[in-house]
Amino acid sequence: MTEAQTNSAQPPPVTGADLHLELHGSRLRAGLTAALRDAVRTGRLAPGTRLPASRSLAADLGVSRNTVVNSYAELVAEGWLTAQQGSGTRVADRTEPPPATPEPPSAAPNSRRPRYGLLTGIPDLANFPRSQWLAAARRALAAAPNDAFGYGDPRGRVELRAALADYLARARGVYADADRIVVCSGFHHGLALIAHVLKERQVRAVAVEAYGLDLYRDLLTNAGLDTPPLAVDEHGACTDDLARLPEAGAVLLTPAHQFPTGVALSPQRRAAAADWARATGGLLLEDDYDGEFRYDRQPVGALQGLDPERVVYFGSASKSLAPGVRLGWIVPPPEMIPDIVAAKGYGDYMTSTLEQLTLAEFITSGGYDRHVRSMRQRYRRRREQLVAALHQRAPGIRVAGMAAGLQTVLDLPPGTENSVIQRAARRGLAVSGLAQFAHQAPDARSPQPPRDGLVVNYAAPSDSAWTGTLEALCDAMPASAIGSCSHA
């Protein structure tokens, strides 16, 4: 290792202005020595840290240089510091036993971390377009006006809102312009804003699909809203039943690709939902979480196009790019925007400007479209491989839902869901059961019939783990569904 490499591995020197010391007592040298010793003992000054020159530290502390020199010398003699010609004064390397920490539950002898995972919510993170995103970030940063680094419009940067308006109109059939869009930090943040606005408007309940994420039902409940369920069948949510829910002032839907059952809301039920909203003054909350990904035909357009004045449209980069980007968007009726902006002021007033400008550049340069097309092909191949593996290894299992999105449902024989999940766990595979997503109101007049199934996210596994994941999944299927070539 060269001398330059050796020096680069050391912590940077600490200037006097960077070194926080509290001197106590009337004796300056004793107080300085004690403060330095305490900083080293507690780890605030790490081993190898170069301390300020004695003249610099003395000037900053308002003491004589001799006081600092003598204090350094005493700590060198005690072994807390080292001093070498040309290297300055540094914190000495000290070997101390690590503090005892309790063993985390995941490290308990009888527990095993899953080797494979098919849990929902995560896209293919390994294929995030790093180089293209970095190039877009550089271009966006170079072109950013000075005011982009200040406190801006809580609706979001106009560059991103304009880019989104064009993209959503072109790709999703959404009626929008830049002034009609509010940028947020993802769907969860956007739904929280709308829940606050609805509660302020005296809405008592938001109907939800009988299958969905409890995270969002809990968000609505915590905002003081009831969440009566709408049954879901092969045609999507039963929106005709909204007429039986007079307390509902809004309904949360995933019309392009129902989560998690994977069906599309039929045209008749889309029309019924829009008719209900117009007749009652209610709102349709459209979660278009993976609307770009359909594999057997062109993606179904957004529900918002039926009646832009009665639909609050939500989109995000969480599935198309990655959850870590933390960008989402709301396209509400214009009259709601002041209330949404006011609600935003209570929490996340602004979303990262640099991330917004980067996404705007990524969209306008064509990078976003290219990435979505690439991932559409990738996810389609994954789904086809899943279907083929099950056809060969577990022919008794039906892959439900349409060819779209990042996940699908595997229908299981009645009464087998829990046993299949346990069999999968023994094979190192983490997967969710359909029952985990079911929502049943205590006083439901027409309860959703029970259904056994697995919700399989085929997008998430890495390429290296994909073959093993399919093996573990097929091996976990019920004996009645496994074909003769199984080695379970």
Side-chain angles (χ1 to χ4, degrees):
M1 181 179 290
T2 66
E3 181 179 353
Q5 289 173 320
T6 302
N7 291 338
S8 68
Q10 297 288 343
V14 179
T15 66
D18 292 331
L19 185 56
H20 174 72
L21 296 171
E22 293 185 5
L23 308 186
H24 299 288
S26 57
R27 300 174 57 195
L28 293 179
R29 174 183 163 185
L32 175 58
T33 303
L36 285 168
R37 188 185 294 115
D38 182 67
V40 175
R41 180 189 292 116
T42 60
R44 288 198 299 113
L45 290 177
T49 300
R50 184 174 179 178
L51 297 183
S54 57
R55 189 184 306 277
S56 174
L57 184 58
D60 285 328
L61 295 178
V63 300
S64 71
R65 184 185 178 194
N66 282 343
T67 297
V68 178
V69 169
N70 291 334
S71 179
Y72 277 2
E74 182 175 342
L75 292 171
V76 168
E78 293 178 2
W80 296 101
L81 304 178
T82 62
Q84 291 182 335
Q85 185 69 27
S87 182
T89 303
R90 295 180 181 274
V91 176
D93 291 327
R94 299 175 60 84
T95 303
E96 298 186 15
T101 56
E103 186 179 57
S106 61
N110 294 327
S111 67
R112 291 193 306 171
R113 186 174 182 177
R115 184 178 179 185
Y116 308 113
L118 291 169
L119 299 178
T120 64
I122 303 296
D124 181 358
L125 301 180
N127 278 280
F128 181 83
R130 297 172 189 245
S131 60
Q132 297 92 331
W133 185 260
L134 180 59
R138 287 173 172 161
R139 294 193 300 269
L141 187 60
N146 293 337
D147 67 0
F149 303 101
Y151 293 103
D153 190 332
R155 294 177 300 170
R157 288 295 303 181
V158 67
E159 296 91 338
L160 178 56
R161 290 187 283 117
L164 285 171
D166 176 73
Y167 172 79
L168 294 173
R170 169 172 51 83
R172 302 298 301 127
V174 172
Y175 179 84
D177 55 43
D179 291 335
R180 194 178 178 128
I181 296 175
V182 178
V183 177
C184 55
S185 299
F187 175 70
H188 187 279
H189 180 214
L191 183 60
L193 295 175
I194 296 300
H196 177 84
V197 171
L198 292 176
K199 187 62 178 176
E200 289 291 307
R201 294 185 173 199
Q202 308 303 312
V203 171
R204 292 185 297 156
V206 175
V208 298
E209 295 165 327
Y211 284 104
L213 281 173
D214 56 1
L215 173 68
Y216 302 137
R217 294 194 297 268
D218 291 345
L219 184 155
L220 295 169
T221 300
N222 291 338
L225 298 162
D226 292 333
T227 56
L230 286 177
V232 174
D233 59 22
E234 66 273 18
H235 303 295
C238 298
T239 52
D240 289 339
D241 291 345
L242 286 168
R244 304 191 190 97
L245 300 173
E247 71 276 19
V251 55
L252 176 60
L253 298 168
T254 50
H257 186 223
Q258 202 283 324
F259 182 87
T261 65
V263 298
L265 190 63
S266 70
Q268 294 79 10
R269 292 187 179 178
R270 285 177 168 236
D275 290 343
W276 168 84
R278 284 190 288 265
T280 65
L283 286 171
L284 308 179
L285 311 183
E286 179 179 14
D287 178 9
D288 196 31
Y289 68 101
D290 66 356
E292 296 99 337
F293 299 113
R294 178 126 188 199
Y295 315 127
D296 58 348
R297 50 163 288 182
Q298 283 294 104
V300 176
L303 177 64
Q304 193 257 11
L306 281 181
D307 194 339
E309 304 309 309
R310 303 309 321 162
V311 178
V312 179
Y313 175 90
F314 298 88
S316 82
S318 295
K319 303 299 184 291
S320 56
L321 286 170
V325 174
R326 301 314 308 139
L327 282 175
W329 40 91
I330 314 169
V331 186
E335 56 89 15
M336 292 186 70
I337 291 178
D339 290 342
I340 296 172
V341 170
K344 217 179 172 203
Y346 291 113
D348 183 9
Y349 176 78
M350 279 183 57
T351 308
S352 169
T353 295
L354 296 182
E355 296 297 326
Q356 290 185 64
L357 292 175
T358 299
L359 181 56
E361 170 63 24
F362 196 51
I363 293 172
T364 56
S365 68
Y368 187 81
D369 282 88
R370 287 190 293 272
H371 176 71
V372 168
R373 284 196 297 270
S374 173
M375 300 314 294
R376 189 183 292 138
Q377 294 297 322
R378 183 176 183 82
Y379 295 153
R380 182 175 68 180
R381 287 194 299 270
R382 279 286 180 91
R383 189 180 189 278
E384 289 172 348
Q385 291 163 355
L386 170 66
V387 171
L390 289 168
H391 178 73
Q392 179 183 12
R393 296 282 308 281
I397 296 300
R398 185 177 77 96
V399 179
M402 61 188 182
L406 281 62
Q407 82 284 328
T408 193
V409 170
L410 308 184
D411 278 332
L412 298 174
T416 63
E417 181 177 306
N418 289 335
S419 63
V420 169
I421 293 173
Q422 292 168 6
R423 283 164 60 90
R426 289 195 292 270
R427 288 157 174 77
L429 174 65
V431 64
S432 300
L434 189 58
Q436 175 183 327
F437 302 95
H439 173 48
Q440 192 71 56
D443 58 347
R445 292 177 290 275
S446 55
Q448 180 83 31
R451 177 182 172 189
D452 285 65
L454 297 183
V455 184
V456 172
N457 177 13
Y458 47 79
S462 65
D463 286 342
S464 60
W466 179 233
T467 299
T469 302
L470 285 179
E471 286 284 324
L473 179 65
C474 291
D475 284 351
M477 291 298 106
S480 60
I482 296 178
S484 58
C485 60
S486 170
H487 53 267

